[in-house]
Amino acid sequence: MASISTMAMEKTAEILGEFSTELLLFGMAFVAQFILVNKPWRKKDFAELDSKQLGEKCVEAKAVCSSFKQGDHAAVLRYWRLLKQKSDQAAASVQLVVQVLESMLCLRRSTIAVLGEIEEVLRKNTNVTVQFMNDLLPALTKSSDGDLISGAMALFSKHGVQAESSTYEILLQMHFSMKRFQEVKRLGMKMRSDGIKPTHASSLVLLKTVLVEADLDTALQYVREVHCAELADSVCEQLVELACYKKRLAELLHEIEAAHIPMSTHMLDALLSVGIRAKDDCQVAAILQLASRFAVGKSARTVGLLIKAAGNDATRISRLLDEAEAAEVVIDSFVVDAVLSASADIDLVLVQRLSRILSPKDPAQLPAILSLIRYYVHSGHAEKACGVYDELLRPRSEASHCLPLDARTKASLLVASEACHRQDIADELGGASEANRISMVRNFSSRNDVANAVKVLDGANKLPPGAWNIALGTCIENGDLAQAQELMQKMAGKGVADQDSYSSLIKAYLHEADFPTALKLLKKMRQDISTAPTEALYSEIIIDLLKNGFENKSQALQLVEMMKGDQLRPSKSAVGLLLKSLTPKSTNAEINNLVQLVDLWKDQMDEGLLCALLETCVRLKKVQLLEQMLQKFYGTGELTWIRGAHSFGTLIKAYSMVKDVSGAWRCWKKMCVLHIKPTSITIGCMVEAIASNGDADGAHELIKSLLINEETRKQINAVIYGSILKAFSRTGHMDRAWAAFEEMQANGVQPTIMSFNAIIDGCARNGQMDRAVRLRTTMASHGVQPNLITQSTLIKGFWANGNINEAFEVFEEMGKSTENPDDALYSTMLDGCLKNGLVEEGVQLVDKMVADGICPSTYTMTVHLKLLSQANQTDKAFEVVEAVQRRFRRRVAASVRALLLTCCLKSHDYERGARVCLAMMTDGLALDGVMCRSLLQKLLQTRKPELAADVLRGMLSISKMSDLVDELLISEVVMALKRKGSPLAEPFLKELKASRPSFVLGSDRAKKVNHQERGKEKDTGKGA
């Protein structure tokens, strides 16, 4: 035990000795530090620590850096928390803090969380410098969060760190990139007020900002601070353009002349560009004088601009090229293009000089050389293009390689080599392979050079149809359909015309509405199975035909028959347009044929086609067909592809027409289940469906429920309320109609003319004309003026309630307003006159109507003639009919002529009545057989057997009336002719026997006729 204790004590003494040695060394180092630096040992500034040093000492710091490089931002934050717990000094490393902040931003941590992390770092490290702030700010600016930047700046200011010029540079660049120009200007003003001199980059940002804000004065101030030679081309152009826009270019030139603003080459180019564009030679001369005074060097752009300003002055252009060559200005494509543009109007001398100036050794001049070659080929100088290639681009030895050529230049050179028979050039360029030739066609077509493109196409080797279609497409794009047609004929002759060729040309003719030519090409396509038209082409032609006018429907239907023959079907859009082209005059066969087209898409039915079908049935009032289509395509409403509010509105309207309110409710409920927001049109369809099918209260309740919901409340309008107003009025519930009218206004729905007309119509129907009159006077307070329907409704109400004078007053008021009466209103007035026996007033109304140029309808004429017939004014009736025929050049209807015949019978003017009757028979108009028989008997009584025979002949010629003519009546006519000794008796009798072989005028029948006539004479005598 003693030995063990001795060993332990010796070991302890050894450890204490080593520890004492380390303490001694540490003390010596402390003393040396104090003597040399004259400062106590200080904690190393965290900004001087890098991640490498921390990585060697701390595993967590190294893990932070590694995770950040791998993009694992969550791991960065996790290791950062461990690092903060272990070492505050390590936690203060600026690089680590930047990585942590960027990770927090990538993980979309809140602004408060990021600012809290920054504040914690600043609180634990008292030696925060401006450099630390400047190192952190770029990471924060990546978020583009203005609140975050402002909060960070406030924290640094709280800890005594103030912004310097570099800080402002970072902030200015961030706000400028985010287009916060007002914030940039505010920071600039703050820098000046704090006496901080902006850096060069800050001045550039401030200059760009004021240029964007169009502040020329401030821009000139910043330009003085920034050396003009360091400005980019775009900034110089902006400055000059702003001076031009403000009409202060002279002021800018004065600043340059006074040396307040230095002049650079960029500034010179910008000023020249403006002066040349304005075509101001004096200004250009002044700018060049300033450039010469300040010895501003010229660039290639300067030379190009001056060449453009020279126009067609070859001497001046040559002098400019001499000066550029003497100044060793590198000629680029801009200068070459300027010379080539001028040479198009003069000669090739300048162009040839360019080929001597350009050098293939300078890569910057290669685009200029290529432009020169393309110019020669395009202008028809193929040999010169080959010469430039030989001189400047061709490899000098087998070891050297040809300079790179773009596709356009290569295609141009191939054309030139073929024109000059230079097979060597073609071989060096890879030969005129099919791919190269197609590329040549494409390049020529892109420059609208169809002639050269066709030359390439006409080569020895046949190119595929796609290459020909490129040239054909160019002709079509240029609108040259004649050239396109000529090229198409050549393609057809060579057998390279395909479906795309015909389709492109047909579509071009459709665009020009040249349908006959397009249809001819379509028929030609159908002759070859390889070019047979597709469904898409057929459908496009049908659509264009119908869009150009429904009068082309017959041609569209012919195309449909062609498609059926080719076992194709029209597209849904084409079928929808065909359905819309149907009219009420369309035959059932035509309607059924189009419905069969819809059946072809039964398995792929969509909303558009279904709505077109249903809307067509509703428009044509085909109730039975509509019911069948609803059952067939919608059924119980299980289809899930109905998603549009408009589609549900169409379905509701269709169910309303077939009187299926439950179906309408089913659609409405499904729309609500699908959370489809109804439009005002959909709501209107639903309310009208309920109200028109006898449930006005239900429609009113629906409106009330929609007014409760804020989303649907805005959709309620006067048209929707009009449905229930009309329903209440027509069912006699005027109290509810008035209540709904007041409710409508209380809910902020402004009544329209339709609303007022519905209420007035209800008042007229229910004998409340006093309220209707008051309502008309209040319309003006709502900014609504009465229209023709309003006045017509009032007049009908007055006539119905016996207020004749009021009806005429309203009618006379209309004559003084802009609303002129129409035929319907005149008919209403004449109806009232007829019912009240106002003959003179009715005659005056018709005279005024004709004088105002309003053509009376058949109904109006009928009412008027009935009125004249009551007054026994047959002559006036004939005068009115003749005036209408003469004034409006129209034939009156059969009903009007029948009324004329009635007037004749009533006034005992049988001869005129016979002429009317015969005229109607000649025109093939329908006649009342009883009336004709009565006229015939009256003619016999008044001893006019010849007219009676003519009427009888006409009646016998009409199959429907011949049954009304018995043999006794025929015998009466024959005997009347014989008694009068008319020469027409015998011919008429023969004619009767020919038409009726069984007719025999015997003695018994003659005696009976004589007996009837003597009885009639006795009756006449007694009457006398």
Side-chain angles (χ1 to χ4, degrees), residues 643-818:
R643 292 285 179 176
H646 171 75
S647 304
F648 277 106
T650 302
L651 283 166
I652 291 169
K653 191 189 305 181
Y655 277 116
S656 173
M657 188 170 187
V658 299
K659 307 297 182 183
D660 186 358
V661 183
S662 61
W665 274 114
R666 190 165 61 249
C667 294
W668 179 264
K669 291 176 181 178
K670 183 176 180 181
M671 185 174 65
C672 296
V673 170
L674 295 174
H675 301 290
I676 297 173
K677 183 179 178 181
T679 63
S680 56
I681 297 175
T682 310
I683 296 172
C685 291
M686 188 62 198
V687 171
E688 179 66 23
I690 302 171
S692 62
N693 284 280
D695 189 8
D697 292 326
H700 195 191
E701 291 299 323
L702 176 61
I703 293 177
K704 289 181 180 179
S705 66
L706 293 172
L707 287 170
I708 297 174
N709 191 338
E710 288 298 327
E711 291 186 359
T712 56
R713 182 185 181 87
K714 299 177 182 179
Q715 304 295 335
I716 305 299
N717 54 33
V719 177
I720 296 171
Y721 263 103
S723 297
I724 61 171
L725 293 177
K726 183 171 58 176
F728 283 137
S729 300
R730 293 186 176 179
T731 55
H733 297 92
M734 284 305 298
D735 53 340
R736 298 184 185 177
W738 282 107
F741 187 70
E742 297 297 332
E743 174 193 303
M744 164 185 171
Q745 299 177 68
N747 287 310
V749 180
Q750 185 67 21
T752 63
I753 186 64
M754 296 174 62
S755 309
F756 286 104
N757 288 343
I759 294 293
I760 291 174
D761 180 66
C763 293
R765 290 173 182 269
N766 295 279
Q768 300 180 6
M769 291 308 299
D770 53 339
R771 301 188 71 176
V773 172
R774 289 197 300 271
L775 186 61
R776 187 182 67 159
T777 58
T778 60
M779 289 174 65
S781 62
H782 293 274
V784 179
Q785 295 297 325
N787 62 4
L788 191 60
I789 298 175
T790 311
Q791 310 289 33
S792 179
T793 306
L794 283 170
I795 290 172
K796 286 181 181 178
F798 284 132
W799 280 117
N801 290 276
N803 302 325
I804 300 174
N805 294 331
E806 288 81 355
F808 275 98
E809 286 177 4
V810 175
F811 183 79
E812 290 172 1
E813 287 178 7
M814 292 188 64
K816 300 175 183 178
S817 65
T818 56

Side-chain angles (χ1 to χ4, degrees), residues 326-338:
E328 297 183 352
V329 176
V330 178
I331 304 299
D332 61 4
S333 58
F334 184 78
V335 178
V336 172
D337 291 339

Side-chain angles (χ1 to χ4, degrees), residues 215-267:
D215 186 356
L216 183 60
D217 294 324
T218 311
L220 293 176
Q221 180 181 352
Y222 284 125
V223 170
R224 297 188 189 103
E225 297 175 0
V226 181
H227 196 276
C228 205
E230 299 175 354
L231 293 179
D233 290 350
S234 59
V235 177
C236 291
E237 289 177 3
Q238 278 185 287
L239 178 63
V240 175
E241 291 290 345
L242 179 59
C244 289
Y245 175 74
K246 297 284 188 177
K247 298 182 179 179
R248 295 171 59 184
L249 187 61
E251 183 179 341
L252 177 61
L253 293 175
H254 178 72
E255 291 283 334
I256 295 174
E257 185 177 4
H260 294 157
I261 296 177
M263 191 177 191
S264 66
T265 303
H266 296 329
M267 182 69 75

